[in-house]
Amino acid sequence: MQGMWVHFTVPPTSDWQRPGMLADRLYGLDISVYEGTELLYESKRDFGFDLNKLLVPIESHSAPTDYYIRIVTNSERAGLISGMRIDDFGALSERFVTRDLPDLLLGASIAFLAFIMLLCSSYLHRRQRRSWVSLCLIAMTTGTLIIAYSPLPYIYFKEYGNIILLLFDASLFILFPALNYYIDQVFEGQFRFFTRFRHVQTIYSAFCLICLFIYATSIERFYDIFYLLSNVIMGVLILVQLLLIIILSILNAIKGNKNAVILSIGILLLAMSGTLDLTFYYLTDKRYVLFLWKFGVVIMIITLVIILVRRISADYAKLVNYSKELELYNHRLQRTEKMKIISDLAASVAHEVRNPLQVTRGFLQLLSGRTDEKSKPYFELAVNELDRASDIITDFLTFAKPELDKITLLDLSKEMKKIEAMMLPLAAMHGGILIFNTQENLYFYGNSSKLKQALINIIKNSIEAIGIDGIIEVKSTSEQGEIILKIIDNGEGMDEEEISKLGVPFFSTKTKGTGLGLMVTFRIIEVMKGTIKVLSTKGKGTEFIIRFPLVVDDKILPDDLNV
């Protein structure tokens, strides 16, 4: 045991009805206050937390009075850290509590939020849950450390002082392995040596927890051994851990990893706050009370939360994209299956149906020439319907066997000029405006007549959708080895359900449409190694985006086309 006596003289206190004296900070376990030789206050501790406070009511005197404070401790430090404040006892009592109350509120808030987060972890996916639980442990142990480092719990709950100290040590042993695990998840396990270090520290922390239990149940008989294990060796491991985290964070930050940048900021601020604390601590011969580390820890937790939120957000974005891709894949698979059935059916039926239709059409024309004038309109109607049926069969055959009879190197600008000449009169008849804006020297392999058929189908649908004063813009550019052809109108537009059904036989937004035109269009573009995408908003218009492989120095040969 060792300690010290402090002697000081208090000026006259007759101006206060109930004076008192307050020491905000002092180091010591057993404290006794004397007025002269009279004992005024005595406090003893049977646990090893030596950060203390002192609040004592004193008598009102009109003359200076001598006071003595006896401080006894079993550590290497003892004495007053702050000055002795003389004031009204009520005001000092309020200061006695409010000085350390923010620390208690901060620690309790962090620990409570961590507990709520831990309860909510069951709703997360297993991969997300592991990072979430490690963050909860970091926050919960940090909150416990902030509370247990404040002198108030040891003053108001003196009988639980040993338990609070055990919680402090246990939180320390849990905090850094949890931090290591979380950081390793942020780095996605790419640094194997750090993962191995994490395993070593986790095992050592578990060993320290066992030693803590033995130390607590042996009435502190193995203090020197426990101090070596929990302070000296553990302190070295923590120092190495922080250095590794800082170095790896900086390396990842240099690579442009945003999470690493955020983590580096949090770690550096924590390291700076801890460094300043330790610097002041040793410059004042260990009389300085560490407090900056609390701000560093709070900032660190905030950065960890930001990183976790970013990871969860990224996982959610991946899940949404995967769901969209899966939905698109299923849609394409269903469409492919439907198209295959229709293709097989069309190929087997079309030839058998077309011949009887042509024979029937010929006999109807023959009979119409021998009948009276009153019956001729009926024959003409029947012939027109047979022609319409023949056109539908032609579309079926085109879909079923969309061979490109002749593959040539096409200049898109020349092809678009031909289509422009054909479609401008039709657009004018419907009161719309058709604008062509085609980039020169865009070459690709395909069939000219089939390309016209496909694009005319799309433009014709747009003309019928825009109405009077509508605008259709056809423009083409090149980008990343592809020709991008866009057909944009400001017509009626479609909703998502209608877009998903485009190209499906017998689905059409027109009252008399069969849907076969777009079906054939999609098939032709597909055979020419192109892709087609439709964007549309109800009431605002529709945009068809068609892509073809761009030919540069004949790098794409016609043999590459699946014909």
Side-chain angles (χ1 to χ4, degrees), residues 280-456:
F280 295 146
Y281 178 75
Y282 287 109
L283 287 177
T284 57
D285 295 329
K286 300 183 180 180
R287 290 182 290 107
Y288 173 78
V289 179
L290 309 176
F291 74 97
L292 292 176
W293 67 274
K294 301 173 187 176
F295 297 101
V297 166
V298 171
I299 294 173
M300 178 66 185
I301 291 177
I302 292 174
T303 58
L304 296 181
V305 171
I306 292 173
I307 292 172
L308 181 60
V309 170
R310 282 176 54 84
R311 293 189 66 197
I312 293 176
S313 177
D315 289 342
Y316 176 75
K318 289 180 181 177
L319 180 62
V320 170
N321 290 334
Y322 174 76
S323 299
K324 290 182 178 178
E325 289 177 1
L326 183 61
E327 182 180 358
L328 182 61
Y329 173 78
N330 289 333
H331 175 69
R332 288 176 177 174
L333 183 61
Q334 293 175 2
R335 181 176 176 273
T336 301
E337 291 176 352
K338 291 179 181 178
M339 295 302 102
K340 186 177 184 304
I341 293 172
I342 295 171
S343 176
D344 294 340
L345 180 63
S348 61
V349 173
H351 288 291
E352 300 298 329
V353 174
R354 173 175 280 182
N355 290 334
L357 285 179
Q358 293 299 326
V359 173
T360 304
R361 185 180 186 279
F363 279 110
L364 285 176
Q365 286 180 322
L366 180 62
L367 291 174
S368 66
R370 300 179 180 181
T371 189
D372 53 29
E373 294 295 327
K374 185 177 180 181
S375 301
K376 281 187 177 181
Y378 299 105
F379 282 100
E380 292 178 0
L381 179 61
V383 170
N384 290 335
E385 289 302 310
L386 287 175
D387 289 339
R388 194 166 77 89
S390 179
D391 292 338
I392 293 174
I393 292 173
T394 301
D395 287 337
F396 266 117
L397 282 174
T398 304
F399 169 77
K401 295 182 179 181
E403 292 91 349
L404 306 182
D405 299 328
K406 185 179 180 182
I407 301 172
T408 58
L409 185 63
L410 302 180
D411 183 348
L412 184 61
S413 62
K414 293 182 179 179
E415 299 299 325
M416 296 309 295
K417 288 177 181 178
K418 298 175 185 177
I419 296 173
E420 181 180 5
M422 297 169 61
M423 301 307 296
L424 279 177
L426 182 61
M429 286 176 58
H430 285 77
I433 300 173
L434 183 58
I435 302 172
F436 280 78
N437 185 8
T438 307
Q439 181 179 324
E440 299 291 335
N441 299 321
L442 297 180
Y443 297 95
F444 66 104
Y445 283 105
N447 182 275
S448 179
S449 61
K450 295 295 184 184
L451 177 67
K452 291 189 187 72
Q453 181 182 355
L455 297 184
I456 286 173

Side-chain angles (χ1 to χ4, degrees), residues 140-325:
M140 193 174 296
T141 52
T142 300
T144 304
L145 289 175
I146 293 175
I147 294 173
Y149 192 71
S150 172
L152 283 184
Y154 302 95
I155 294 174
Y156 286 105
F157 305 100
K158 186 183 296 185
E159 63 274 20
Y160 302 109
N162 283 315
I163 297 176
I164 298 173
L165 280 177
L166 289 176
L167 287 175
F168 183 91
D169 290 333
S171 298
L172 198 64
F173 297 147
I174 295 173
L175 168 61
F176 289 97
L179 178 61
N180 265 353
Y181 181 83
Y182 187 89
I183 300 301
D184 200 21
Q185 292 294 307
V186 173
F187 293 149
E188 297 179 349
Q190 58 180 311
F191 302 106
R192 292 186 178 180
F193 67 91
F194 183 78
T195 303
R196 295 192 189 100
F197 175 81
R198 173 173 67 84
H199 292 156
V200 171
Q201 192 183 48
T202 302
I203 294 172
Y204 185 77
S205 294
F207 174 70
C208 287
L209 284 173
I210 296 173
C211 294
L212 176 63
F213 176 76
I214 296 173
Y215 170 71
T217 54
S218 63
I219 318 178
E220 303 180 359
R221 284 187 298 176
F222 307 103
Y223 175 78
D224 292 336
I225 298 176
F226 180 71
Y227 181 84
L228 174 66
L229 295 174
S230 63
N231 285 271
V232 180
I233 299 178
M234 191 67 176
V236 173
L237 287 176
I238 291 173
L239 180 61
V240 172
Q241 170 190 358
L242 293 177
L243 288 175
L244 282 176
I245 293 174
I246 291 174
I247 293 172
L248 297 181
S249 299
I250 292 174
L251 289 176
N252 267 303
I254 294 174
K255 294 178 181 178
N257 188 317
K258 292 184 179 179
N259 286 340
V261 173
I262 297 172
L263 180 62
S264 300
I265 293 173
I267 292 291
L268 288 175
L269 291 177
L270 175 62
M272 288 174 60
S273 62
T275 303
L276 288 174
D277 261 343
L278 291 175
T279 302
F280 295 146
Y281 178 75
Y282 287 109
L283 287 177
T284 57
D285 295 329
K286 300 183 180 180
R287 290 182 290 107
Y288 173 78
V289 179
L290 309 176
F291 74 97
L292 292 176
W293 67 274
K294 301 173 187 176
F295 297 101
V297 166
V298 171
I299 294 173
M300 178 66 185
I301 291 177
I302 292 174
T303 58
L304 296 181
V305 171
I306 292 173
I307 292 172
L308 181 60
V309 170
R310 282 176 54 84
R311 293 189 66 197
I312 293 176
S313 177
D315 289 342
Y316 176 75
K318 289 180 181 177
L319 180 62
V320 170
N321 290 334
Y322 174 76
S323 299
K324 290 182 178 178
E325 289 177 1

